[in-house]
C-alpha cells in the first residue's frame, strides 16, 4: 500500500512593501524574532581629531554595539553595524581608526551608559571609566574588558538603515580573563549561566 502525501503548497514570492519589509513582516515581528538571537556586547570607540590644531585635543566618542562579529582570520577582519546618521557612523566615515572593547558581565553599566538615547556628552560618559588609549588607533580601550581590538576601516557597505563597517584588526589583546561575557538577549543585558 502506498503512502499518501500532500503536495507542498505553491511558493508565493514575497515582495517587499513600500517600507522595505516582505508582505506579512512588521517591524515588531522582525524585532521580536531577532531578539531571540543572543549577542555579545562591545563598546566601539574612536577619537575625533580636533578641528583646530591650536585648540583642544579632539573628543573621544563611544557607542554600545551588539551587531559585531569576526569576518576573516587572514587577513584579520571584524565587522560592526552602525545606524545611518549616528554620531559613530558619521565619525567613521571620516576617521578610519577605531577600537572595540568586549565587555564583561561586570561592565553592564558601561553598555547601558553608551546606549542611552538623548545622552549627555561622551566626555562625561567616559569620566569615571578606567581606560587606556590605544597606541595604533588613539581610541579608548576599557580596562577590565575581556578583549580589546584596534581597527582600521577597510570597507563601508550600505545595508538598509545601517552601514556595515569592516575593519582590519591592527592590535588584539586579552587583558582580562576574569568573569564571563556580557550578553544581550530578548531586549536585556544578561549573564551566561
Amino acid at each position: 500500500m502506498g503512502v499518501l502525501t500532500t503536495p507542498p503548497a505553491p511558493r508565493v514570492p514575497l515582495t517587499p512593501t513600500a517600507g522595505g519589509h516582505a508582505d506579512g513582516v512588521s517591524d515588531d515581528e522582525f524585532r521580536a524574532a531577532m531578539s531571540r538571537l543572543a549577542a555579545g556586547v562591545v563598546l566601539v570607540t574612536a577619537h575625533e581629531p580636533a578641528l583646530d590644531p591650536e585648540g583642544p585635543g579632539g573628543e573621544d566618542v563611544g557607542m554600545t554595539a551588539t551587531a559585531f562579529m569576526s569576518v576573516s582570520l587572514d587577513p584579520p577582519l571584524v565587522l560592526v553595524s552602525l545606524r545611518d546618521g549616528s554620531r559613530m557612523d558619521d565619525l567613521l566615515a571620516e576617521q578610519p581608526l577605531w577600537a572595540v572593547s568586549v565587555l564583561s558581565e561586570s561592565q553592564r553599566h558601561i553598555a547601558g551608559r553608551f546606549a542611552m538615547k538623548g545622552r549627555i556628552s561622551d566626555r562625561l560618559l567616559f569620566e569615571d571609566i578606567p581606560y587606556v588609549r590605544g597606541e595604533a588607533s588613539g581610541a579608548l580601550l576599557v580596562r577590565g574588558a575581556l578583549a580589546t581590538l584596534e581597527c582600521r576601516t577597510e570597507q563601508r557597505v550600505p545595508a538598509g538603515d545601517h552601514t556595515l563597517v569592516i575593519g582590519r584588526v591592527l592590535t588584539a589583546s586579552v587583558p582580562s580573563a576574569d568573569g564571563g561575557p556580557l550578553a544581550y538577549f530578548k531586549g536585556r543585558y544578561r549573564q551566561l549561566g
Side-chain angles (χ1 to χ4, degrees), residues 154-184:
E154 293 268 313
Q155 189 175 1
R156 292 175 55 87
V157 180
D161 59 1
H162 278 64
T163 300
L164 306 178
V165 179
I166 299 170
R168 181 179 294 253
V169 177
L170 305 174
T171 69
S173 67
V174 182
S176 175
D178 295 336
L182 181 61
Y184 193 72

Side-chain angles (χ1 to χ4, degrees), residues 6 49 96 124 142 145:
T6 307
L124 296 174
V142 177

Side-chain angles (χ1 to χ4, degrees), residues 17-121:
T17 63
H21 290 285
D23 288 333
V25 178
S26 71
D27 286 352
D28 290 340
E29 290 167 328
F30 180 67
R31 270 193 207 99
M34 294 312 298
S35 77
R36 291 341 191 243
L37 176 64
V41 183
V42 301
L43 182 68
V44 179
T45 55
H47 184 74
E48 185 172 31
L51 295 175
D52 178 5
E54 303 297 319
E59 189 170 350
D60 295 301
V61 178
M63 179 199 89
T64 301
T66 56
F68 175 77
M69 63 183 280
S70 168
V71 174
S72 168
L73 181 61
D74 187 16
L77 299 174
V78 294
L79 176 149
V80 66
S81 179
L82 306 175
R83 180 178 294 283
D84 287 344
S86 68
R87 183 159 186 213
M88 188 63 73
D89 181 44
D90 291 345
L91 176 55
L92 294 189
E94 297 178 13
Q95 159 63 285
L97 298 173
W98 46 284
V100 174
S101 297
V102 179
L103 299 180
S104 74
E105 59 195 4
S106 66
Q107 295 175 318
R108 178 186 303 219
H109 65 288
I110 296 173
R113 184 182 294 190
F114 285 90
M116 288 187 306
K117 289 182 166 71
R119 63 189 202 202
I120 58 176
S121 81

Side-chain angles (χ1 to χ4, degrees), residues 110-141:
I110 296 173
R113 184 182 294 190
F114 285 90
M116 288 187 306
K117 289 182 166 71
R119 63 189 202 202
I120 58 176
S121 81
D122 286 48
R123 180 180 52 80
L124 296 174
L125 294 177
F126 281 113
E127 201 166 74
D128 63 346
I129 295 174
Y131 62 81
V132 296
R133 191 168 296 282
E135 291 182 23
S137 66
L140 302 186
L141 302 168

